[in-house]
Amino acid sequence: MPDLKWQVLSSEYIHKGPWATLRTDQCQMPDGRIVPSYYVLEYPDWANAVAVTDDNKIILVRQYRHAAGVVSLEIPGGVIETGEAPVDGMKRELLEETGYEFNDLELLCKLHANPSTANNITHCYLARGGKKTQGQHLDELEQIIVEEYTIDEVKQLLSENKITQALHCSTLFYALMKLGAL
């Protein structure tokens, strides 16, 4: 198989922020052609989970997503902090967003949100046996409503296009396969 990887000749940062950084790379393709400005969004890695309670309900969260201007029904998830193992970040996000504690987390897959423009990875988990142990501890700008659904209800929501976050739909697909629900 031919080598398709580009060589980075130089990089320049255009914007550095806590949630997104934009850089432009000058690259050389394997055939020698030069790509003068390829824009790359740097994001921290993320984690998400299909969270199944001890009574076999799937936890979904409802929150406003400003970039799309929508109230979105999603699975719990968030940013993995610097130096944090992905599984530990997922446990933290589950507890903060939902108040549920999970000790049984299984990595389902790792996904790229958009590898043509972004460099991060989403670590996708199946969390089982969740128990409500506390209230939510949300970030300053978070407003999250926690909802519980049966597996059949989640499948119906997916079939009606009521869950539209692509990474979350993908994780739900892997989890439903693992649970034998597809």
Side-chain angles (χ1 to χ4, degrees):
M1 178 181 295
D3 182 15
L4 300 174
K5 191 168 181 174
W6 296 1
Q7 179 185 356
V8 177
L9 302 175
S10 65
S11 293
E12 180 183 339
Y13 283 98
I14 296 167
H15 170 77
K16 287 188 176 187
W19 301 110
T21 295
L22 178 62
R23 75 171 198 259
T24 182
D25 291 344
Q26 182 184 45
C27 301
Q28 183 174 11
M29 297 173 66
D31 65 6
R33 287 182 287 164
I34 300 295
V35 179
S37 292
Y38 196 95
Y39 293 91
V40 176
L41 289 165
E42 294 181 4
Y43 292 110
D45 284 355
W46 302 324
N48 66 35
V50 174
V52 183
T53 65
D54 59 358
D55 62 346
N56 213 35
K57 297 283 180 77
I58 294 177
I59 296 173
L60 297 179
V61 294
R62 195 175 296 272
Q63 59 188 315
Y64 177 68
R65 295 301 195 177
H66 182 69
V70 299
V71 175
S72 184
L73 187 59
E74 305 175 352
I75 60 177
V79 170
I80 299 168
E81 302 294 337
T82 302
E84 188 175 46
V87 69
D88 294 332
M90 190 65 255
K91 287 179 181 180
R92 176 186 48 74
E93 285 289 338
L94 284 165
L95 193 57
E96 288 174 0
E97 288 188 359
T98 71
Y100 280 77
E101 193 166 355
F102 293 83
N103 291 318
D104 180 7
L105 274 78
E106 177 183 354
L107 182 66
L108 295 171
C109 61
K110 295 179 184 182
L111 301 172
H112 293 94
N114 187 350
S116 66
T117 60
N119 70 338
N120 66 324
I121 294 174
T122 300
H123 304 264
C124 307
Y125 292 91
L126 174 59
R128 298 186 223 202
K131 293 179 181 16
K132 180 95 167 162
T133 60
Q134 67 177 44
Q136 293 173 301
H137 292 283
L138 301 175
D139 293 339
E140 181 184 358
L141 301 178
E142 285 182 316
Q143 292 178 304
I144 295 175
I145 299 169
V146 177
E147 301 175 1
E148 294 182 5
Y149 294 88
T150 66
I151 289 172
D152 285 339
E153 289 170 332
V154 169
K155 289 166 58 176
Q156 185 67 34
L157 289 165
L158 286 166
S159 73
E160 294 173 357
N161 197 38
K162 300 238 170 116
I163 302 171
T164 60
Q165 210 284 13
L167 292 169
H168 296 196
C169 292
S170 299
T171 306
L172 281 161
F173 168 77
Y174 283 106
L176 291 171
M177 280 194 339
K178 182 64 117 178
L179 294 168
L182 286 183

